[in-house]
Amino acid sequence: MSRPEAPRAQERRSGEHPPGRRTSRTPAVTPVPRERRHTLHFLSFARSASPVFLDTEVDAAALLADRAADPRPVSVVTYVVQAVGRVLDRHPDANAACSGGPRPRRIRYPFVDVKLTMDRESAGTRVVLTSVLPDADRASRSFLQHRIDRLRAGDPATMPEFAGARALQRLPFPAGRLAFTLAGRLGRRHRHLGTVAVTSLGHRRVQRFFSTGGTALTIGVGRITPRPVVRDGTVTVTPVLPLSLTFDHRVLDGALAADVLDDLAETLERPPEPEPGDATR
């Protein structure tokens, strides 16, 4: 006994289409928008990494309480950026990078520069743009929040922080690939990619995701949601922040990466450090 044909198979055989469906369904092939060229160059550069993925959950009750008490709006991402800066200052071997090839080299940075990713629009195309927040190991939350607000509100077509991406969009594709490769050399890489990357999809119902930011460590921030947890043998509901960590196995091993992730979780679970009086840095 034969099975009845699926509706789509029947349509193909009969040449008919459901009411309201377009009769022409030929895919449109177009060049990749110029506004995405910088992303393609980055992805080509990032292929040399050897990524390994870890994740954890953070009790975000203390963070959210501090955020609610602060008269100045501070995003969850800003708390994470500041904590990442403090944690990597305590784990200098993870605040590093390496180059491949027949004579691999390693560099360890005496500062923590955080590359932050942002969802922006450029010439009508939705793109990922990045900017480096220098000295996150010393910066106050207010200073970091001011920088992040400026990056999110400014015009990508004119802001100096995005000049590199605009240049890559203008260059012919082979020249842009060469320019990105030269900018990614070990001694100058941190100027464009930072020493660590932070990326967030917490504005949507995303729990965990694993990204490679072109750095030895990439921290992914998910959405805070109320979850049942056990405290002192009792089940209670608390806000939970999912964190992911991608590490480049060429630079560090899993034990150190686990130490960093655990330290980051503990730092975010403690009451945040008080802001300085002027909060200019």
Side-chain angles (χ1 to χ4, degrees), residues 42 45-46 49 97 115 189 193-194 197 211-218 248 250:
F42 164 76
F45 170 84
K115 185 187 83 167
R189 187 182 303 174
L193 297 178
S211 175
T212 300
T215 47
L217 296 176
T218 302
D248 187 346
R250 300 175 305 164

Side-chain angles (χ1 to χ4, degrees), residues 196-271:
V196 60
V198 172
T199 181
S200 173
L201 292 176
H203 65 293
R204 295 297 187 189
R205 288 178 287 185
V206 174
Q207 291 296 305
R208 290 169 179 80
F209 67 105
F210 301 90
S211 175
T212 300
T215 47
L217 296 176
T218 302
I219 306 300
V221 183
R223 186 174 189 174
I224 296 178
T225 54
R227 298 274 298 279
V229 298
V230 178
R231 285 180 179 167
D232 301 324
T234 303
V235 177
T236 184
V237 176
T238 193
V240 171
L241 168 65
L243 284 183
S244 65
L245 182 149
T246 302
F247 71 92
D248 187 346
H249 213 327
R250 300 175 305 164
V251 182
L252 68 158
D253 294 327
L256 176 54
D259 289 346
V260 171
L261 184 58
D262 195 62
D263 193 354
L264 178 59
E266 289 183 355
T267 299
L268 289 169
E269 287 179 342
R270 292 194 296 264

Side-chain angles (χ1 to χ4, degrees), residues 127-149:
V127 297
V128 173
L129 292 176
T130 65
S131 184
V132 175
L133 305 171
D135 299 322
D137 51 319
R138 299 187 292 114
S140 68
R141 285 188 299 278
S142 297
F143 180 80
L144 290 169
Q145 188 65 54
H146 173 74
R147 288 288 309 277
I148 293 172
D149 287 343

Side-chain angles (χ1 to χ4, degrees), residues 5-279:
E5 289 184 294
R8 175 128 338 168
Q10 292 176 355
E11 293 167 19
R12 280 197 288 264
R13 197 163 60 83
S14 66
E16 298 176 356
H17 296 274
R21 177 178 286 185
R22 294 172 296 179
T23 56
S24 175
R25 296 180 63 82
T26 304
V29 180
T30 62
V32 173
R34 284 180 173 267
E35 291 72 27
R36 289 193 54 80
R37 285 184 176 181
H38 66 285
T39 299
L40 298 183
H41 296 319
F42 164 76
L43 292 174
S44 176
F45 170 84
R47 287 194 191 105
S48 62
S50 298
V52 182
F53 311 102
L54 307 176
D55 72 304
T56 191
E57 294 180 340
V58 174
D59 184 338
L63 186 157
L64 293 184
D66 185 84
R67 186 171 181 240
D70 195 330
R72 298 161 295 190
V74 179
S75 69
V76 172
V77 168
T78 299
Y79 282 90
V80 173
V81 168
Q82 186 189 47
V84 166
R86 299 329 193 241
V87 167
L88 281 190
D89 185 53
R90 297 193 287 265
H91 300 273
D93 285 341
N95 190 41
C98 77
S99 63
R103 298 179 62 186
R105 294 182 301 152
R106 179 173 177 266
I107 185 171
R108 197 169 74 172
Y109 301 103
F111 45 78
V112 182
D113 291 351
V114 175
K115 185 187 83 167
L116 183 65
T117 65
M118 284 156 288
D119 175 32
R120 299 300 309 271
E121 187 171 295
S122 176
T125 299
R126 193 172 182 178
V127 297
V128 173
L129 292 176
T130 65
S131 184
V132 175
L133 305 171
D135 299 322
D137 51 319
R138 299 187 292 114
S140 68
R141 285 188 299 278
S142 297
F143 180 80
L144 290 169
Q145 188 65 54
H146 173 74
R147 288 288 309 277
I148 293 172
D149 287 343
R150 181 178 180 277
L151 292 169
R152 286 174 172 166
D155 185 358
T158 59
M159 294 185 68
E161 290 88 346
F162 303 132
R166 295 195 299 270
L168 292 172
Q169 292 164 7
R170 291 192 302 267
L171 286 172
F173 199 84
R177 180 62 51 85
L178 176 61
F180 197 103
T181 301
L182 294 175
R185 287 181 173 177
L186 198 58
R188 65 179 72 175
R189 187 182 303 174
H190 66 278
R191 303 175 189 172
H192 311 285
L193 297 178
T195 68
V196 60
V198 172
T199 181
S200 173
L201 292 176
H203 65 293
R204 295 297 187 189
R205 288 178 287 185
V206 174
Q207 291 296 305
R208 290 169 179 80
F209 67 105
F210 301 90
S211 175
T212 300
T215 47
L217 296 176
T218 302
I219 306 300
V221 183
R223 186 174 189 174
I224 296 178
T225 54
R227 298 274 298 279
V229 298
V230 178
R231 285 180 179 167
D232 301 324
T234 303
V235 177
T236 184
V237 176
T238 193
V240 171
L241 168 65
L243 284 183
S244 65
L245 182 149
T246 302
F247 71 92
D248 187 346
H249 213 327
R250 300 175 305 164
V251 182
L252 68 158
D253 294 327
L256 176 54
D259 289 346
V260 171
L261 184 58
D262 195 62
D263 193 354
L264 178 59
E266 289 183 355
T267 299
L268 289 169
E269 287 179 342
R270 292 194 296 264
E273 60 188 60
E275 289 280 82
D278 56 2

